[in-house]
Amino acid sequence: MSEGTATTTDLDVRLEKHRVELTGYCYRMLGSSFEAEDAVQDTMVRAWRSYDKFEGRSSIRSWLYRIATNVCLDMLNAGNRRARPMDLTGPSPLAQAALTPRPDNTWLEPVPDARVLPTISDPAEAAVAKESVRLAFMAALQQLPPKQRAVLILREVLAWKASEVAELLGTTVASVNSALQRARATLAEREGTAGAVCDPLDEEQQKLLERYVAAFEGYDMTALTALLHEDAIMTMPPFDLWLRGPGDITGFMTTLGASCAGSRLLPVSVNGLPGFAHYKPDPEKGGFGAWAIQALEISDGRITGFHCFLDTERWFPLFGLPLQLEAEAH
């Protein structure tokens, strides 16, 4: 009995040490933080059940990736491609701005860095890992057919050899190379949509974020306009509305978004980007109520993307954040 328990515990430990990287892989495949966690749980259960059939011809890690890939491909057979608002519609002029929600499964979901990015000591590798979960790259991945998506992630993000990917997918090296070529071509068409965020943030970017917090919390639209790129984009899933340019963004914030005046921002790490948990004044309970997880894209000393995920009851617990802040909290 004790020997069996020891073996069970040992297997638990061996599987569990791969959880974060597998969650990152499934998140890149599925575009959903919650579906990724479900996929990894399913992977672990399948690994448990079939461990006696695991013959050790590959490492436990590559065996787990094979199971996870099959789980994700099964989930993607439903055909749903997650997207950002600007992948679905054109920008709305402020005069026509309307908050129309779409179902949760429409949207590319945010994720805390700690859930999908294993601790990596090499700064260059860590930077590549962060880039591979940024919103623009994630949105581009969702445009790829599922098998091309798997090939691109395994080859380009995880640096697997073509022969290893071919074995995992049960296909040929030629087929893997062809899929990778097609995937790269699709992504190349979408290049230039991502901000250039340093890892870690450089001094200029840190100062930009400090100025952003001061402008947002002070609801100073002149100061905020000075920080926004002329083509800056604001999105607010689950609403399909998105706005382009400082005029429409600040115009929205002083009209439909006017109740956000006097808000508080707490820093979070989201999708390899700087971000904030946005709490706005709560006139009923006092203090501040959770409102959005913000992810910011930065390029050339300006904010180019300002993405607000509003489903607070899902996102704030995922990020380990309270739904209320006391009045003096900051």
Side-chain angles (χ1 to χ4, degrees):
M1 177 99 175
S2 61
E3 187 181 326
T5 308
T7 307
T8 298
T9 307
D10 177 53
L11 181 56
D12 269 343
V13 170
R14 291 173 77 191
L15 296 180
E16 200 58 36
K17 74 177 187 181
H18 299 289
R19 181 176 291 273
V20 173
E21 65 168 310
L22 284 171
T23 306
Y25 175 62
C26 294
Y27 174 66
R28 294 178 189 101
M29 284 291 290
L30 301 168
S32 161
S33 29
F34 291 107
E35 284 184 3
E37 297 206 342
D38 289 347
V40 172
Q41 203 49 45
D42 192 0
T43 298
M44 296 297 191
V45 169
R46 291 190 194 189
W48 248 105
R49 287 182 180 152
S50 58
Y51 186 67
D52 56 339
K53 297 188 191 112
F54 173 60
E55 295 165 356
R57 281 185 304 217
S58 61
S59 66
I60 274 203
R61 179 174 181 255
S62 57
W63 179 60
L64 286 170
Y65 269 94
R66 180 181 295 124
I67 298 171
T69 301
N70 288 332
V71 170
C72 290
L73 292 175
D74 287 347
M75 291 171 81
L76 289 166
N77 274 340
N80 181 47
R81 287 183 180 185
R82 288 174 178 268
R84 301 172 300 170
M86 56 276 204
D87 300 322
L88 302 179
T89 63
S92 298
L94 181 60
Q96 293 164 26
L99 297 176
T100 311
R102 293 204 190 190
D104 287 340
N105 68 359
T106 308
W107 303 118
L108 179 61
E109 294 181 352
V111 74
D113 286 1
R115 290 199 178 231
V116 292
L117 297 175
T119 306
I120 299 171
S121 54
D122 180 331
E125 276 183 43
V128 168
K130 278 196 169 185
E131 283 169 20
S132 73
V133 292
R134 294 209 173 130
L135 295 170
F137 181 74
M138 286 291 303
L141 276 181
Q142 304 308 302
Q143 300 302 309
L144 300 175
K147 282 220 169 140
Q148 279 185 35
R149 204 179 303 178
V151 167
L152 185 102
I153 297 165
L154 290 164
R155 290 282 285 118
E156 302 272 280
V157 177
L158 300 172
W160 285 40
K161 294 175 184 158
S163 56
E164 294 170 328
V165 177
E167 188 182 343
L168 182 143
L169 292 173
T171 186
T172 63
V173 169
S175 171
V176 166
N177 288 337
S178 170
L180 180 60
Q181 209 173 353
R182 293 197 303 276
R184 280 175 174 160
T186 302
L187 259 57
E189 289 168 14
R190 298 174 59 93
E191 292 238 298
T193 54
V197 183
C198 294
D199 179 42
L201 295 178
D202 63 28
E203 191 179 350
E204 184 190 357
Q205 291 174 343
Q206 288 282 14
K207 284 183 177 165
L208 176 64
L209 291 181
E210 286 164 17
R211 289 166 64 204
Y212 169 74
V213 170
F216 195 98
E217 291 188 341
Y219 233 58
D220 181 341
M221 295 302 135
T222 305
L224 189 60
T225 296
L227 305 179
L228 294 173
H229 189 276
E230 61 184 18
D231 289 325
I233 283 171
M234 180 182 184
T235 68
M236 291 162 280
F239 301 116
D240 59 12
L241 169 78
W242 65 279
L243 301 161
R244 173 178 274 147
D248 278 0
I249 291 172
T250 56
F252 177 88
M253 289 173 69
T254 52
T255 52
L256 289 175
S259 63
C260 291
S263 290
R264 292 287 172 264
L265 299 180
L266 301 182
V268 294
S269 295
V270 49
N271 285 82
L273 295 165
F276 296 94
H278 172 194
Y279 291 85
K280 73 175 188 175
D282 187 334
E284 290 178 17
K285 298 181 183 171
F288 301 88
W291 184 246
I293 296 290
Q294 299 182 357
L296 269 59
E297 292 170 325
I298 298 170
S299 187
D300 299 328
R302 291 280 184 276
I303 293 165
T304 55
F306 169 46
H307 306 289
C308 307
F309 297 91
L310 302 182
D311 192 349
T312 51
E313 298 207 345
R314 298 177 85 211
W315 305 132
F316 277 64
L318 185 72
F319 281 79
L321 294 163
L323 291 171
Q324 284 290 128
L325 286 183
E326 298 301 318
E328 69 276 11
H330 187 51

